[in-house]
Amino acid sequence: MKKEYVSYLKEVSEFIPKDRIYTDELRLLAWGTDAGFYRMIPQVVIRSSSEEEVSRLMALAHKYSLPVTFRAAGTSLSGQSISDSVLIVAGKNWEKYTISPDAKTITMQPGLIGERVNQILKPLGRKFAPDPASVKSAMVGGIVMNNASGMNCGTHANSDKVMLSARLVLADGTILDTGDEKSRSDFRRTHPQFITRIEEIRDKVRADEELSSRIRKKYSIKNVTGLNILPFISQDDPFDIIAHLMVGSEGTLAFLSEITMATGHDYPYSASAMLYFKDMREACRAVVAMKHGPVFGAEMLDNKSLVSVNDTTGEGLTAVLTETKADTPEELQANIDAIKKILSSFETYIPVYFTDKPEEYSKYWAIRSGIFPSVGGTRKLGTTVLIEDVAFHIEDLPDATVELQAMLAEHGYDEACIYGHALEGNYHFIISQSFDTPEQVKRYKDLMEDVKTLVVDKYDGSLKAEHGTGRNMAPFVKYEWGEKAYEVMKEVKSLFDPESLLNPGVIFNDDPECYIKGFKPMPLTNVHVDRCIECGFCEVNCLTCGFTLSSRQRIVIQREISRLKSLPDQQERLDTLKKQYKYLGNATCAGDGLCSMSCPMGINVGDLTHDIRQEELPAGSLGYKIGDYAANHFAGIKSSLRPVLYLANVAHSMLGSGMMTSVAKGLHSAGMPLWTTAMPKPFRLHKIEQKEEPLKVVYFPSCINQTMGTAKNSPDTTPLVEKTVQLLQKAGYEVIFPEKMDSLCCGTIWESKGMMDIADRKSAELETALYKASEQGRYPVLCDQSPCLHRMREVMTKVKLYEPAEFIYTFLRERLEFTPIDTPVSIHVTCSMRRMNLGNTIIDLARLCSRNVFVPEEVGCCGFAGDRGFTHPEVNSYALRKLKPQLIKEGIEVGYSNSRTCEIGLTTNAGIPYVSIIYLVDQCTKPKNRTL
């Protein structure tokens, strides 16, 4: 590392904790990757947490002349959030917001995810106006700084149009709030020449009618090529100009620490139609016609796009996904009728059908949002996927689209697809290829030259409509805009960043071939993840994102490890990455699979983790032998745990919670699993008296519930197995237990360790026992632990399997009389429930029991992950960091879930007891039309 970086780090470490400064090989590589197709490895990565920190970081960077790049979610596609110098991350620590009393404005920090903003605003009838397809993963900072737009916002509601003010940290560390009068006044006093220069540029631009006219025309369609110079025409006040110059600046001018934006009206009624046309030109003509109707969005999907998402409507079709919105059902129907009238002169492959049912049209839009990753997933494995982003004036759409399609074919990109915001003349086209040879690089270069000619020379469109300039289009900014406009951009850059230290190479790059250099390698590594394009959509559901590594970053590292294995001179680096991955990548991965739920291709990084663990525990190794022994002597292993729980409970009673906790922490630091006050007493199932009933259910209590009773602070002292039997009997069911239950297990324990063959063997044993107990599948089977039930469903086919909430809601609801309580209760939806699409079931069941049901926000997987909550409790703590404040605010004193291990972690971190949903149902019900 160069001495200037050493000096910089020495001063930085004086005010930023070491656990937020990364200089290790693994995390530098992980953060050197974003959703784009370039890679740069930073020298330093710093996870910032405050404006004051960023101010000092930038002042020090200025002192040592070190380039700085900012990053939020890293979903940008054009190479604008990567660095080979200092990378400052503004993500998980930047999530604060305030809403005005009338909800017409919202002030946000840059780390809020766009979809989260929509969730916050929806109850108030408002929405976040910018709507990129990545809104469920992209953060506000990136959305604004790229001027990312999407399906409905067009040019009328993008970040530039709805921005009101911004707080900035300038290159010299100065903080400016353009919405605060004192800050403006102070800035005028300390930076008078800055304000004067802004006013001079403004006046010069306005005095040049040709340039002003050029700017107006260029921004009449979507355009993010270069810096946003529209503010010199659209804004008068110099501070408003400064704020709006941030939009689309991609971190090249300043750091955006906070932004105030106008919220949009959230129409309560919506309808969508998937329109199919036999001909692309005809589809484009229909879009042009609809531009003048009550259409909010019209998304083009060419045939290759449809094929990528397995649309089977017909061969060779082009689709246009169309949407309209209204405030009343009557207005919505009037809009639909008006659109149908416009379309009556066009031939569609199937009749025009609009649906106003969310469960139907949400599927259309999910398909549209997932086109880029889905197409990327169908590429030839090992190739790089690239997405370009152009815009035409709407009247040129039919001819330009057909020509673009022909151009891609002419260059040999037979698998390329075209899709996007046709109503705004904005298209994306996706191609995939390798860059291993000069010929392959030249093919891409030749294509881009022809794209430039088509878009700029022939149609005067935008080479970048919404994805940002980045490194990808930096060499073409001047070509698209012309000399005078480009000089204005350079003047702005020089004013804000005189040393060119902020995100160098992005927007302004002196290398005319920078766009064909530094491509990201995509080697094959594991069959479960090879289709990944590193878009980052998974990270919103990854519980360790921002703690150790995210699901995307785990794939990045494993790809690099695979690449290095074939390079003899890189063995030292290979060994370093493998060593560092053990904790950051392997040990702290919960393997919960929630990442697959936000991945358009369903990639589950938990599968990768299990494979890695399997490689580390080959048959014959000591670890494998221990696992095999445990499987063969499972009843004895469980029995041996009961005395341990008993002794811990006695010690807890004698020492008290405070002393016992201190002792437990000390033992954990020495390598022992962590004990907490949420740990239960031991339990052993004894014979349960019951009478024969016509309704029968096979009940398999999970291993942990066969072993563990209740904790000291549990609201009910009855062990779960006994409580479950009581509830089933209350509803008129006879309970059947499988034979030799003590030795049975679903196999999840071994699966989580990577011992897949042992896991499958235990699953097979259990299925055989359940099949016999259920009289060859005649009776339903209930398991009281949702993670166990999830695995059982994945590997078992002979029996009908249910988890508690699902069984109760399906079979017991009509046999019990519910008397809801007023006590507020919290519900935790486990990751396995989410993956089984049963999240709403447990919530609906809770609402039958309580009039005040609270589901905490931004709490996904709890991170306990079976036994990892004992061995790596820091993961559990991080995953639940947002839980306790919400429970305190809502005044909640008890929570419910359906996984004993999760409940231990929840209780430990929430400060209130969490128990099975079965306890709540039992509390609130009595038999219906029956006597016990």
Side-chain angles (χ1 to χ4, degrees):
M1 182 179 289
K2 294 180 179 179
K3 63 179 182 180
E4 55 265 35
Y5 287 102
V6 174
S7 300
Y8 178 76
L9 281 169
K10 183 178 180 181
E11 294 200 49
V12 166
S13 62
E14 293 176 1
F15 62 93
I16 292 187
K18 290 183 179 180
D19 62 355
R20 289 196 280 115
I21 304 172
Y22 305 151
T23 58
D24 58 279
E25 195 91 27
L26 184 141
R27 282 180 288 191
L28 293 181
L29 170 62
W31 288 99
T33 301
D34 65 5
F37 48 93
Y38 302 103
R39 170 175 290 167
M40 299 178 75
I41 308 299
Q43 297 291 310
V44 182
V45 175
I46 301 169
R47 297 186 61 84
S48 62
S49 66
S50 70
E51 190 178 67
E52 291 70 27
E53 280 186 358
V54 174
S55 175
R56 295 178 69 179
L57 288 170
M58 292 177 68
L60 283 173
H62 180 77
K63 173 181 177 181
Y64 292 105
S65 297
L66 297 178
V68 171
T69 297
F70 310 111
R71 170 176 171 150
T75 57
S76 54
L77 296 163
S78 302
Q80 54 266 66
S81 63
I82 55 177
S83 168
D84 60 2
S85 181
V86 177
L87 182 68
I88 298 177
V89 181
K92 296 291 185 182
N93 298 321
W94 296 81
E95 299 173 297
K96 295 178 182 177
Y97 65 90
T98 56
I99 304 172
S100 64
D102 62 0
K104 294 292 182 65
T105 66
I106 182 169
T107 300
M108 304 163 285
Q109 288 189 327
L112 273 173
I113 292 172
E115 180 67 11
R116 173 69 182 135
V117 181
N118 280 324
Q119 292 169 355
I120 293 165
L121 293 173
K122 190 170 184 59
L124 306 173
R126 308 298 293 177
K127 68 174 184 178
F128 184 53
D131 61 346
S134 58
V135 70
K136 292 183 178 180
S137 302
M139 294 177 179
V140 168
I143 291 172
V144 173
M145 296 299 263
N146 285 294
N147 199 12
S149 54
M151 305 168 194
N152 291 158
C153 76
T155 58
H156 62 279
N158 61 16
S159 295
D160 189 46
K161 292 297 174 65
V162 299
M163 170 187 270
L164 298 175
S165 66
R167 280 183 68 92
L168 317 170
V169 182
L170 297 175
D172 62 359
T174 300
I175 298 173
L176 168 64
D177 185 344
T178 67
D180 179 77
E181 195 54 50
K182 182 178 185 305
S183 181
R184 290 159 67 112
S185 177
D186 290 344
F187 192 79
R188 276 190 181 275
R189 186 181 69 257
T190 59
H191 293 70
Q193 293 157 344
F194 195 108
I195 295 299
T196 298
R197 190 71 190 114
I198 288 289
E199 292 172 332
E200 288 174 351
I201 298 172
R202 175 198 64 193
D203 296 343
K204 181 179 72 171
V205 169
R206 293 184 177 187
D208 189 330
E209 184 54 41
E210 179 186 14
L211 177 58
S212 297
S213 177
R214 176 75 175 150
I215 292 171
R216 291 188 187 94
K217 183 180 181 182
K218 290 291 290 179
Y219 289 115
S220 66
I221 62 174
K222 285 188 174 186
N223 188 334
V224 295
T225 307
L227 290 180
N228 174 27
I229 54 176
L230 181 62
F232 290 115
I233 292 176
S234 62
Q235 308 295 323
D236 295 320
D237 184 275
F239 289 100
D240 290 337
I241 293 173
I242 291 170
H244 284 265
L245 283 171
M246 291 302 102
V247 180
S249 63
E250 302 175 31
T252 61
L253 302 182
F255 174 82
L256 180 73
S257 60
E258 187 179 87
I259 186 167
T260 299
M261 303 174 78
T263 59
H265 175 55
D266 188 20
Y267 288 91
Y269 298 95
S270 176
S272 296
M274 189 73 88
L275 311 173
Y276 292 92
F277 300 86
K278 296 179 182 178
D279 177 76
M280 177 175 274
R281 187 184 295 274
E282 182 77 350
C284 292
R285 290 182 57 248
V287 171
V288 175
M290 287 191 291
K291 180 72 173 176
H292 305 292
V295 178
F296 282 65
E299 295 294 304
M300 180 81 73
L301 291 80
D302 76 350
N303 181 249
K304 296 291 174 58
S305 302
L306 295 174
V307 169
S308 77
V309 293
N310 301 313
D311 189 298
T312 58
T313 305
E315 293 185 8
L317 301 179
T318 297
V320 179
L321 175 53
T322 304
E323 183 176 41
T324 186
K325 297 175 181 288
D327 283 316
T328 66
E330 294 76 18
E331 289 176 7
L332 185 67
Q333 188 58 53
N335 287 353
I336 293 172
D337 292 341
I339 298 170
K340 284 185 174 180
K341 184 176 180 180
I342 293 171
L343 292 170
S344 62
S345 60
F346 297 92
E347 181 182 356
T348 56
Y349 183 73
I350 59 176
V352 176
Y353 167 69
F354 274 89
T355 176
D356 61 355
K357 299 176 181 178
E359 64 271 21
E360 291 183 4
Y361 65 66
S362 62
K363 294 178 182 177
Y364 295 158
W365 291 101
I367 288 171
R368 164 59 189 88
S369 296
I371 286 289
F372 173 48
S374 295
V375 173
T378 62
R379 77 194 187 283
K380 181 181 178 181
L381 296 182
T383 61
T384 296
V385 63
L386 301 89
I387 181 169
E388 299 297 346
D389 167 44
V390 299
F392 303 103
H393 296 275
I394 191 70
E395 61 271 16
D396 297 324
L397 199 64
D399 291 339
T401 306
V402 172
E403 290 181 48
L404 178 60
Q405 188 178 51
M407 179 190 300
L408 291 168
E410 180 183 335
H411 284 274
Y413 293 98
D414 299 324
E415 300 303 315
C417 76
I418 300 174
Y419 72 104
H421 320 308
L423 198 68
E424 302 298 330
N426 172 204
Y427 283 138
H428 313 310
F429 61 91
I430 303 174
I431 59 176
S432 62
Q433 69 169 85
S434 296
F435 293 94
D436 298 334
T437 67
E439 291 75 20
Q440 292 169 334
V441 174
K442 184 178 185 302
R443 181 164 72 119
Y444 176 65
K445 181 179 180 181
D446 290 344
L447 172 68
M448 294 309 297
E449 287 295 326
D450 281 354
V451 168
K452 180 182 71 172
T453 299
L454 175 71
V455 175
V456 177
D457 295 343
K458 186 167 185 178
Y459 290 110
D460 197 18
S462 308
L463 286 170
K464 279 294 180 182
E466 60 178 16
H467 290 169
T469 306
R471 286 171 172 78
N472 181 220
M473 207 55 66
F476 306 110
V477 175
K478 182 177 179 180
Y479 187 89
E480 177 178 327
W481 273 98
E483 187 71 41
K484 286 196 290 187
Y486 186 65
E487 284 303 315
V488 171
M489 295 178 188
K490 287 178 64 177
E491 288 182 64
V492 172
K493 171 68 172 174
S494 179
L495 175 63
F496 278 83
D497 181 23
E499 293 187 49
S500 292
L501 295 178
L502 301 185
N503 216 356
V506 171
I507 297 183
F508 302 95
N509 198 312
D510 294 331
D511 182 356
E513 296 192 337
C514 66
Y515 70 106
I516 52 173
K517 296 179 179 178
F519 292 114
K520 178 169 62 180
M522 299 288 277
L524 301 183
T525 183
N526 180 281
V527 66
H528 290 117
V529 301
D530 281 337
R531 291 180 301 149
C532 173
I533 59 171
E534 302 175 11
C535 65
F537 284 14
C538 58
E539 292 185 335
V540 67
N541 279 331
C542 178
L543 69 96
T544 54
C545 179
F547 179 61
T548 50
L549 294 179
S550 70
S551 42
R552 167 171 59 173
Q553 290 172 331
R554 287 182 169 91
I555 295 174
V556 168
I557 301 303
Q558 285 303 312
R559 281 178 167 163
E560 183 68 358
I561 286 174
S562 294
R563 189 182 73 87
L564 295 178
K565 286 179 179 178
S566 63
L567 302 175
D569 61 337
Q570 292 291 317
Q571 291 308 296
E572 184 178 348
R573 185 162 183 260
L574 171 63
D575 292 341
T576 298
L577 291 180
K578 290 170 70 174
K579 180 180 179 181
Q580 294 174 348
Y581 191 85
K582 287 184 179 297
Y583 175 77
L584 295 171
N586 188 345
T588 58
C589 178
D592 57 277
L594 284 189
C595 51
S596 67
M597 296 191 69
S598 52
C599 170
M601 291 170 287
I603 293 171
N604 182 353
V605 177
D607 293 333
L608 169 66
T609 296
H610 292 154
D611 287 349
I612 292 171
R613 291 171 183 170
Q614 187 172 25
E615 291 175 5
E616 294 180 349
L617 285 173
S621 67
L622 177 61
Y624 183 91
K625 288 178 179 179
I626 293 172
D628 191 41
Y629 180 86
N632 294 328
H633 302 82
F634 195 54
I637 296 293
K638 284 196 297 186
S639 294
S640 67
L641 290 176
R642 294 187 180 102
V644 175
L645 291 172
Y646 175 77
L647 290 173
N649 186 60
V650 170
H652 185 193
S653 299
M654 294 177 60
L655 297 177
S657 295
M659 179 63 72
M660 184 66 178
T661 298
S662 297
V663 171
K665 287 181 178 179
L667 291 173
H668 177 64
S669 64
M672 295 286 289
L674 180 67
W675 178 95
T676 74
T677 55
M679 285 295 290
K681 294 172 282 188
F683 167 72
R684 183 185 295 276
L685 177 64
H686 299 287
K687 186 176 180 180
I688 295 176
E689 296 296 327
Q690 56 181 325
K691 61 181 179 179
E692 186 172 340
E693 297 279 6
L695 293 174
K696 302 180 191 297
V697 58
V698 175
Y699 173 30
F700 173 62
S702 67
C703 312
I704 194 167
N705 288 321
Q706 291 181 45
T707 308
M708 293 182 176
T710 56
K712 278 187 175 296
N713 63 347
S714 176
D716 192 315
T717 59
T718 306
L720 178 61
V721 179
E722 295 176 2
K723 180 62 66 176
T724 302
V725 173
Q726 290 174 12
L727 179 63
L728 292 169
Q729 290 178 338
K730 184 193 295 187
Y733 274 81
E734 178 185 349
V735 181
I736 301 169
F737 291 104
E739 296 176 358
K740 300 180 179 179
M741 194 167 65
D742 275 355
S743 64
L744 298 176
C745 180
C746 67
T748 299
I749 299 171
W750 290 271
E751 179 188 45
S752 69
K753 301 292 186 295
M755 291 180 261
M756 306 303 294
D757 56 336
I758 300 177
D760 291 341
R761 188 173 84 221
K762 296 302 292 184
S763 298
E765 290 175 4
L766 177 59
E767 184 174 23
T768 299
L770 295 175
Y771 188 64
K772 180 180 179 181
S774 65
E775 294 190 9
Q776 291 72 52
R778 179 181 175 187
Y779 307 130
V781 175
L782 169 66
C783 177
D784 54 21
Q785 183 94 344
S786 68
C788 301
L789 192 280
H790 180 263
R791 172 167 170 82
M792 291 162 68
R793 277 192 172 171
E794 286 192 321
V795 299
M796 297 181 186
T797 58
K798 295 180 180 179
V799 288
K800 294 169 286 188
L801 298 159
Y802 297 89
E803 64 78 50
E806 181 186 23
F807 187 85
I808 295 167
Y809 203 79
T810 304
F811 296 108
L812 307 191
R813 184 166 41 126
E814 300 304 321
R815 300 183 61 80
L816 297 171
E817 182 178 326
F818 286 78
T819 303
I821 58 177
D822 293 320
T823 306
V825 300
S826 174
I827 296 297
H828 176 74
V829 182
T830 63
C831 46
S832 48
M833 283 284 278
R834 295 175 195 270
R835 293 184 65 193
M836 292 186 290
N837 294 316
L838 293 174
N840 290 333
T841 302
I842 191 171
I843 295 169
D844 291 342
L845 179 60
R847 286 174 176 154
L848 293 176
C849 302
S850 172
R851 298 182 183 89
N852 193 343
V853 174
F854 177 68
V855 182
E857 297 175 333
E858 298 185 279
V859 177
C861 176
C862 70
F864 206 86
D867 63 348
R868 290 191 177 256
F870 302 123
T871 58
H872 295 89
E874 66 276 15
V875 177
N876 184 217
S877 177
Y878 180 78
L880 297 178
R881 66 195 183 282
K882 296 183 180 181
L883 176 60
K884 190 173 183 178
Q886 296 183 63
L887 299 178
I888 293 173
K889 181 180 178 181
E890 298 293 327
I892 292 173
E893 297 182 356
V894 63
Y896 297 93
S897 189
N898 60 353
S899 168
R900 191 70 185 89
T901 47
C902 296
E903 290 153 17
I904 292 172
L906 288 160
T907 301
T908 300
N909 290 280
I912 65 169
Y914 268 80
V915 294
S916 170
I917 188 71
I918 288 173
Y919 289 96
L920 179 62
V921 175
D922 185 64
Q923 175 188 346
C924 300
T925 60
K926 63 181 181 180
K928 183 184 287 187
N929 301 324
R930 295 180 73 253
T931 57
L932 289 176

